[in-house]
Each structure stands twice: as structure tokens, then as C-alpha cells.
Amino acid sequence: MVGAPSSTTGTVALTLNGGSPTVRGNTIAGASTNGSSGSDANNRSIGVAVRGTTHAAGVLIENNDISSGSAVQSVGVAIESASPAVTSLVTLSSNTIRSGTARRSIGVFALRAATGSKISNNDITSGGTAGGANTGIQVNSPVTVDRNRVNLDRIATGACTQTTSWCAGIFVEGATTTITNNIVIGPRGQKTTGILMAEFEVPAGTVTVANNYFDGGGSGPNGTGGTRNASSAIVLQISSNTTAALTGIVGRISNNILSGGQNAD
């Protein structure tokens, strides 16, 4: 399906807002959208959007096939809300999740997950990009990421066309999180990493990364034109923002298996 939504949320196949629902055994496909203004806000395709829970049991999403369509921003599963005060306790387990082709393509976006949330035992694939970045799992809130397989299907994994910033299997920024026992490969593309751990706008929390396999991914040693390709199992990055009280400490990394990927650098 294709459309041109005028709302600020674009198109969503399934929205969960309040209560403690269980979503199990479904095929959920977000529609592609043309948008009305070309902005990320009005041109989004989301498979499942979780926008707040009101029960201590939280949301259980398991054993589903979830995908999002083509858009300016495509997200397979978005845990988000309009306010930082509204969070969702989510267990996302044993799903197959794919984001679509977009300027910004994210398999799972954990922006407003509540403490105790878990992303576990999923097969996650990020879609291709046009001028932007793609990410398998983006973590900006307290969540445990355990036993997932990210971008293992190299044919289905989208190519990242971004050459100035990193495209990542997992991207962690400003969060307290535990990442264990995952198999993660960076996207295909010219500047890719298995995991990007960063401080950009807020200080990082306590991040523990242990017992994972990280491969930098990439598309091979030959760059486009005069651009050299780069890939890395792990990238640590801090911005030059002097007003955000950044600490320069983005995590604790131990007992992982690391592979640099296919690119030249």
C-alpha cells in the first residue's frame, strides 16, 4: 500500500497505547507512504508503535512477523512517546522484524522503553537507505538486549549510502542498557559497524556489553570514487558539545568476539 498521510505520525500498522496487551503470532506490515511534506515526522512507516503502558505487566510482543514500508523514516518496532515522562514496559521476544527502505531505516527503535524492558531472541534486519543511515536496534532508554540476531541475512540487509556517519547493527546513545549474547553484523555500505556507542546530546548511562559477536559488516574493500570504505566491530564516539556535561565514558565492554568487517579501513 502507498499513501500520503497528513498527520504527524505517518502510517502505523498497529499502535499500542495503554493497558498491557499481548500481541502474538501475527503478520504485521506497515504501509509505504509518500508523506505530505517530505519531513521525517509526516513521512514515517512503522510496523508496531508502542506509545505508553498503564499496567505493571507491560506489553508482550512475541512470535510475530513485523515489517515497515518505504518512507523517509521506516521503523519496524518503535517504542516511543511524545513526552519523556511517558514510557512503556515492553518485552519484545522471538519476532522477525524488518524495516523498509528509507532515508533513515531502523529495525527496533527503543526511545522511551521503561526500566525492565527486554529485546530478546529476535531476528532483526535493517532496510536500505538513501542519503541517511540504517540501524538494526537503536537504544536511547533502559532496556536489556539479549540473544538477538541482527543483519544475519546479508541479502535482505539494506545498503547504507551514508559516507560521513556510521551505520550500525546496534546504536546506543544516552542510555543505561545491558547488551549480551547477541550476534550482530553491521549493515552493507561504506561506513559500517557492529555496534556504535556514543554520547551526543546527553551523558551515557551504565552500558554493559558482554558475550556478543560483533562484525563490522560493509560491502567490500573498494570505495565509491575517491572515498575509502571503513568498517569496525565497535565504534566509540563523543560529540564536541560542551553544554551537555558529557563524560566521555560510553560503556564497559568485555568477553566479546570482534571482527572488523569487509571494508578497507
Side-chain angles (χ1 to χ4, degrees):
M1 293 187 294
V2 213
S6 58
S7 71
T8 57
T9 54
T11 176
V12 181
L14 176 64
T15 299
L16 307 175
N17 192 349
S20 58
T22 295
V23 181
R24 179 184 294 123
N26 303 281
T27 299
I28 302 169
S32 296
T33 173
N34 296 323
S36 60
S37 67
S39 68
D40 283 14
N42 287 348
N43 195 334
R44 306 175 75 202
S45 174
I46 300 172
V48 176
V50 186
R51 293 184 171 149
T53 55
T54 56
H55 192 282
V59 174
L60 174 61
I61 304 171
E62 66 175 3
N63 296 319
N64 302 283
D65 186 298
I66 302 170
S67 61
S68 51
S70 298
V72 170
Q73 186 180 96
S74 181
V75 184
V77 176
I79 306 169
E80 61 179 15
S81 68
S83 167
V86 180
T87 61
S88 300
L89 179 62
V90 180
T91 298
L92 185 67
S93 177
S94 304
N95 302 280
T96 298
I97 302 169
R98 299 176 303 279
S99 55
T101 300
R103 185 170 66 210
R104 181 79 169 128
S105 184
I106 307 170
V108 177
F109 186 19
L111 178 65
R112 302 271 192 255
T115 300
S117 294
K118 298 178 182 178
I119 301 170
S120 63
N121 196 35
N122 300 283
D123 288 283
I124 300 169
T125 305
S126 56
T129 66
N134 56 352
T135 304
I137 304 173
Q138 180 168 333
V139 179
N140 300 88
S141 54
V143 63
T144 296
V145 180
D146 182 61
R147 294 181 294 115
N148 299 282
R149 297 158 295 279
V150 180
N151 291 335
L152 265 61
D153 186 338
R154 302 308 288 168
I155 295 176
T157 299
C160 175
T161 58
Q162 178 64 256
T163 60
T164 58
S165 59
W166 293 96
C167 297
I170 296 177
F171 170 35
V172 181
E173 199 272 324
T176 293
T177 183
T178 299
I179 300 172
T180 53
N181 306 310
N182 301 281
I183 302 173
V184 183
I185 305 178
R188 295 185 292 118
Q190 295 189 59
K191 193 167 183 179
T192 61
T193 180
I195 182 169
L196 170 61
M197 302 167 65
E199 278 192 330
F200 291 145
E201 298 178 359
V202 295
T206 301
V207 181
T208 300
V209 180
N211 305 321
N212 303 280
Y213 172 83
F214 292 116
D215 185 295
S219 298
N222 297 319
T224 300
T227 302
R228 289 181 63 87
N229 285 354
S231 59
S232 175
I234 298 175
V235 171
L236 309 178
Q237 191 170 4
I238 185 170
S239 80
S240 56
N241 188 335
T242 59
T243 63
L246 304 181
T247 66
I249 301 173
V250 294
R252 293 163 176 81
I253 304 166
S254 64
N255 202 37
N256 300 281
I257 298 174
L258 309 178
S259 174
Q262 301 182 46
N263 290 346
D265 296 334

